[in-house]
Amino acid sequence: MIKETNMEAVKKGAKTLLDVKIRKRAGSGKEILIDHPFYGDILQPCRDSNGEKQHLNILESPENLAKARAVKSEIIDEAEDIIAIGNWLNKPYRLIFIKLIENYLSLEDLSLYLTEFWGGAEDEYTIGGVKKSRVKRWLTACNKNLCMSEQLQQIFDSLGEEVTIYRGVTDMSKGNLESTMTWTVSYDDAVWYAQRYLISPKIKKRYVYKATIDKKHIYICLHTESTDVIVDDQGIKDITLVETFTR
């Protein structure tokens, strides 16, 4: 990796995401939701002919969309670092963004960005829309001292050679646990994850699973509040159901 991030190239890559086609998705009632790297709904801040800010429907006309793109382009130009750009991206696109600009990133910025914006939909082969083999390569290359605060480094150092990990899920988010890379070392936190969507009528059951993994297969610890860990899913062993919660 290069020693210093090429912010000019990073910003150019971010601007290419502005041109991604907007897709409509189902909303509640008359609400229109959209899927796009930078836009989450159809009303976006734009500037009128006098340069004043206003909110326009970007699906109403190509002119409105062009005005919204101009505002986001200006924001990208003013970004001081990659984290500032990542804060404007919708979550499903944050890892995809790294894939787009990884050749222009320093190891330091890659490490900081992955820690800040880890997450996304996981399946057997991808996480956050990126192949797991690529994500694992990023994690292996990362500098743990940059990825983890001193407190998280202490937590990581205190882990034994074999670690018990937990995962809280619902009947709608269970997925394939054998290929899941995000777990926690706290049973209580796993219970919280399982129960955080209590108000959803679609969720009927919640589960807490535990497994074991050798410490060498743990990449980093995340979040002092919940002590999540990112693991190499190939090292997960002995997954068992610990508890089931019903409505």
Side-chain angles (χ1 to χ4, degrees), residues 91-92 95 119-130 132 167:
K91 188 174 180 179
L95 292 188
E122 291 191 46
D123 59 35
E124 188 173 355
Y125 303 105
T126 66
I127 179 166
V130 180
K132 283 188 174 177
R167 175 91 178 170

Side-chain angles (χ1 to χ4, degrees), residues 2-245:
I2 58 178
K3 291 184 178 180
E4 186 174 343
T5 293
N6 182 340
M7 280 301 296
E8 183 178 350
V10 167
K11 291 178 180 181
K12 185 176 180 180
K15 288 181 181 181
T16 65
L17 294 177
L18 290 173
D19 296 326
V20 171
K21 185 177 181 180
I22 296 173
R23 295 184 300 173
K24 292 183 182 180
R25 54 191 178 92
S28 57
K30 295 183 179 180
E31 183 183 16
I32 299 176
L33 301 176
I34 57 177
D35 181 18
H36 186 271
F38 283 100
Y39 311 129
D41 58 65
I42 62 174
L43 293 179
Q44 291 293 317
C46 306
R47 295 190 185 278
D48 62 19
S49 57
N50 296 318
E52 298 294 326
K53 283 190 175 181
Q54 57 181 334
H55 283 77
L56 297 178
N57 183 340
I58 58 176
L59 298 183
E60 194 172 78
S61 70
E63 291 76 17
N64 286 357
L65 179 57
K67 290 177 181 179
R69 283 175 174 164
V71 171
K72 283 292 192 292
S73 182
E74 182 180 325
I75 289 170
I76 292 170
D77 284 334
E78 294 174 351
E80 295 183 356
D81 53 40
I82 186 176
I83 301 297
I85 296 175
N87 281 326
W88 285 98
L89 284 167
N90 288 318
K91 188 174 180 179
Y93 292 91
R94 286 172 171 172
L95 292 188
I96 292 174
F97 181 46
I98 300 183
K99 178 182 175 182
L100 187 65
I101 50 100
E102 64 174 305
N103 291 334
Y104 309 113
L105 284 181
S106 67
L107 179 60
E108 178 179 0
D109 278 342
L110 173 65
S111 303
L112 293 172
Y113 188 96
L114 274 177
T115 305
E116 185 74 20
F117 297 120
W118 174 260
E122 291 191 46
D123 59 35
E124 188 173 355
Y125 303 105
T126 66
I127 179 166
V130 180
K131 286 185 178 180
K132 283 188 174 177
S133 57
R134 185 186 291 263
V135 175
K136 290 178 182 180
R137 175 163 57 80
W138 293 340
L139 289 165
T140 300
C142 280
N143 184 330
K144 284 185 170 61
N145 292 327
L146 295 173
C147 288
M148 294 188 287
S149 65
E150 184 177 347
Q151 185 177 359
L152 285 172
Q153 186 68 58
Q154 290 174 353
I155 294 172
F156 183 85
D157 292 342
S158 70
L159 298 175
E161 290 307 307
E162 186 176 73
V163 182
T164 300
I165 52 178
Y166 301 90
R167 175 91 178 170
V169 297
T170 71
D171 49 7
M172 295 186 66
S173 67
K174 184 178 176 181
N176 186 352
L177 294 169
E178 290 84 357
S179 61
T180 298
M181 294 181 66
T182 310
W183 294 69
T184 176
V185 296
S186 166
Y187 167 78
D188 290 338
D189 289 332
V191 171
W192 182 86
Y193 280 126
Q195 296 185 328
R196 58 180 164 168
Y197 299 119
L198 280 174
I199 61 173
S200 174
K202 296 181 180 180
I203 297 174
K204 305 302 181 184
K205 290 186 178 181
R206 298 160 179 80
Y207 311 94
V208 173
Y209 287 85
K210 74 173 181 178
T212 57
I213 193 166
D214 292 340
K215 184 178 180 179
K216 64 183 180 181
H217 294 305
I218 298 177
Y219 292 112
I220 56 174
C221 294
L222 290 173
H223 317 310
T224 54
E225 300 86 358
S226 57
T227 320
D228 294 346
V229 288
I230 303 175
V231 307
D232 183 347
D233 55 329
Q234 298 300 308
I236 298 172
K237 302 178 291 186
D238 305 325
I239 297 176
T240 56
L241 177 63
V242 178
E243 194 159 0
T244 301
F245 306 92

